[in-house]
Each structure stands twice: as C-alpha cells, then as structure tokens.
Amino acid sequence: MRPRIKLTNRLWTACIAAGMVASLPAIATPLAQPPAVQSGATAMDPHGDYVESKGARIWYASIGTGTPVVLLHGGLTSSRSWDAQVPALLAAGHRVILIDSRGHGRSTMGPLPLRYDLLAEDVLAVLDHLHLARPAVIGWSDGAIVALLVTIRAPERLSAVYAFGANMDKASVRPNAGDAPILATVAPRLVADYAARSPDPGGFGRLQQAVRAMQASQEDIGPEQLRRIRTRVTIAGSEDDEFILPAHFRALAQAIPSARLELFPAAGHFIPWQNPAVFNRSLLRFLDGTGSGHPRRAPLRR
C-alpha cells in the first residue's frame, strides 16, 4: 500500500553508484540529519542473531535493558533507518529490539511471496523467540502497517502501538505519490543500505518488485476491523506527508477506539530522519504514557 518508487535510468545509475560506497548519503534538507553509518558493531549497528520464520532467516538485535520497545522499519529500508531514534530510547531506559523485515537488511526473503500478514507473523516469531511479554511497538510506514496488523491479529501480545505514516487502504495514497521529489534523495540511501547489509547485495531490484507486488495485493483494512483494536495506539502522521493523505491519519484515529492522533505540522514522511528531535519527543511521550487521551498536533520545534 506504499507508493511505488519509480527509478528512472538516471536515478537508478545514481542508486547503484551510491550502493558502491560504505556510507549512506544523508537527505538534502536544512533539518537535522541522521548520524552517519559507522562500521563495526555499535548501539545503532549491533551484532544480532536470526530467527527462522516461514522459510526465512529474520535478523534481530536486542540492545539495552528496561521496558522493551520493538522498532519496525518501512519498505525498502532496514533497521538502520532508526539510527536517530535508538540513542534516545536507550537513554530513556528502554530495551530496544530491532528487526530487519523479511527480504530487507540482513534478513532473507525465503520462498514465499512478500505479504504484510507474513511480516506480522515474522514479528510474532521474534517476540516468541525473545519471550517478550507485551512490548510496545513503534512502526514507520510499512512497519506501521505491520504493527497494526499484529495488534489486530494478536491483541494480547502488545502493550501499545505507535504507528507513524501508516495507510490501511489504497484510496489514502496521494495521486502521483511515486513521483514525489523526495524520492530522488531517499532512493540512493535505500540502495546503499541494502547493498551494505543484505545477504543478496545485488538484489535490490528484486526486493523492489516484491514490495510492489505486496502493496498491490494487500487487502484494505476497514473501519470494522480497526474498531476491534483495544491496544493503546497513537496514529501519527505528517500534515505534508508526500505519500499519504493526512485525512487518512485522522480517519484511522477516529476508527480505532483506543487511538490518539499525533500530527506533525510542516513535516513529511521522513521526519524521523529530517527532524529526529521533534519525532523522538513524540515517541518518548507515547512510551511514558503522557501522550494519551487527546488528539494533538505536535509542535515543530528543534
């Protein structure tokens, strides 16, 4: 249900070139930048392990101690997309669990077609392996869709869900979203990240095709299903999201009885990279329970 990222020949060449270097190019923006990629195991690039799930090896890492928080990244990215969030979560006393979605990052694709419900099963497999009892889950974009599907399927497994940039039906995607100018700066970063971590470094094109097929085949999740969610939920989005119509975020929050709405003004789909200070404040309010009960617009301060 994400917009298809269309790469022109010129942009594809740039992506391949970016994938040949060790560090990821930052997004060209005057807002705060994510930290540069570092080599070796760090708090943001840790040594992890694997869980077998439905024919695939799903990479995960557990960092720190305290209340567990599971981070689910978006389509065509990896757990490294959370580089600007992990230090803030660790400093606040949380145990951070990173997962590379099937076919993304260090995880293998396996023999089955990519599907959102399959990604949700993979998340549950990691929770089972780690014996995690009711962690909070934070999802971004496709990861937010997966987080909501997990709580629909297994509401007893999660304590809370923060879903940023999710769309649960195809009608919520902006017309011509795949032509958004931001993709010209994001796409090289995606290819470089994939090439640096994947067990199939040259397979980004195949991953892109698999994600497109997943998006095209995903069934819409309607109000009737959303009304069954009782987990504490924050539906978060940006008022200038390049891909999703902001009215959809409002509709999701209204449909989920336990949901709270968080809208970031003058921000887009990549605010976790572009302005992590603002985004992280919202996450920490959510995790400590102070961001519950009333819809709000997040102030865009630095």
Side-chain angles (χ1 to χ4, degrees):
M1 287 187 286
R2 294 267 75 76
R4 297 183 178 183
I5 296 179
K6 298 185 291 185
L7 302 182
T8 64
N9 289 337
R10 180 178 178 184
L11 181 53
W12 181 255
T13 300
C15 290
I16 295 300
M20 300 300 290
V21 300
S23 61
L24 303 185
I27 295 177
T29 170
L31 299 180
Q33 299 297 327
V37 170
Q38 302 173 14
S39 61
T42 68
M44 293 176 292
D45 195 14
H47 292 309
D49 207 342
Y50 291 88
V51 170
E52 299 290 330
S53 177
K54 304 289 185 179
R57 301 181 73 228
I58 307 302
W59 182 91
Y60 73 91
S62 177
I63 316 168
T65 59
T67 306
V69 180
V70 179
L71 303 183
L72 304 179
H73 62 79
L76 301 178
T77 67
S78 78
S79 56
R80 287 306 306 271
S81 62
W82 296 110
D83 278 3
Q85 283 67 56
V86 171
L89 294 172
L90 293 175
H94 294 285
R95 174 187 178 190
V96 175
I97 294 89
L98 299 171
I99 299 176
D100 281 347
S101 294
R102 175 180 296 253
H104 297 68
R106 300 170 177 86
S107 296
T108 64
M109 180 70 74
L112 300 174
L114 208 59
R115 303 189 315 271
Y116 286 106
D117 59 346
L118 185 59
L119 300 185
E121 290 185 38
D122 294 339
V123 171
L124 289 170
V126 174
L127 301 190
D128 289 341
H129 178 76
L130 293 175
H131 305 289
L132 289 176
R134 294 178 54 78
V137 174
I138 296 169
W140 175 5
S141 196
D142 275 358
I145 295 173
V146 173
L148 291 171
L149 290 179
V150 170
T151 201
I152 289 172
R153 174 175 176 171
E156 74 285 356
R157 300 298 303 275
L158 307 182
S159 64
V161 170
Y162 185 102
F164 171 73
N167 71 301
M168 305 305 285
D169 62 57
K170 301 177 184 69
S172 61
V173 178
R174 287 185 184 273
N176 302 317
D179 297 321
I182 188 67
L183 293 174
T185 48
V186 171
R189 178 182 179 130
L190 304 184
V191 177
D193 187 19
Y194 181 91
R197 285 162 186 82
S198 174
D200 178 24
F204 185 80
R206 288 185 291 276
L207 173 61
Q208 188 182 15
Q209 291 173 356
V211 170
R212 285 179 174 176
M214 176 178 70
Q215 294 165 355
S217 64
Q218 172 68 4
E219 295 183 2
D220 292 346
I221 303 298
E224 182 177 348
Q225 293 164 287
L226 296 170
R227 278 195 293 270
R228 295 202 295 265
I229 296 176
R230 292 295 183 268
T231 308
R232 181 169 68 90
V233 172
T234 288
I235 296 295
S238 294
E239 292 185 340
D240 295 331
D241 192 295
E242 295 88 349
F243 310 128
I244 311 302
L245 295 168
H248 182 64
F249 305 133
R250 298 182 178 92
L252 287 179
Q254 291 172 356
I256 299 171
S258 57
R260 171 181 177 273
L261 178 65
E262 179 97 355
L263 284 180
F264 297 97
H269 196 73
F270 295 94
I271 189 174
W273 290 350
Q274 294 171 314
N275 201 333
V278 165
F279 187 76
N280 293 352
R281 280 198 295 270
S282 176
L283 294 186
L284 295 177
R285 283 195 303 268
F286 161 77
L287 290 170
D288 69 19
T290 60
S292 60
H294 302 286
R296 70 187 301 276
R297 294 171 79 248
L300 194 62
R301 300 190 304 269
R302 300 183 193 172

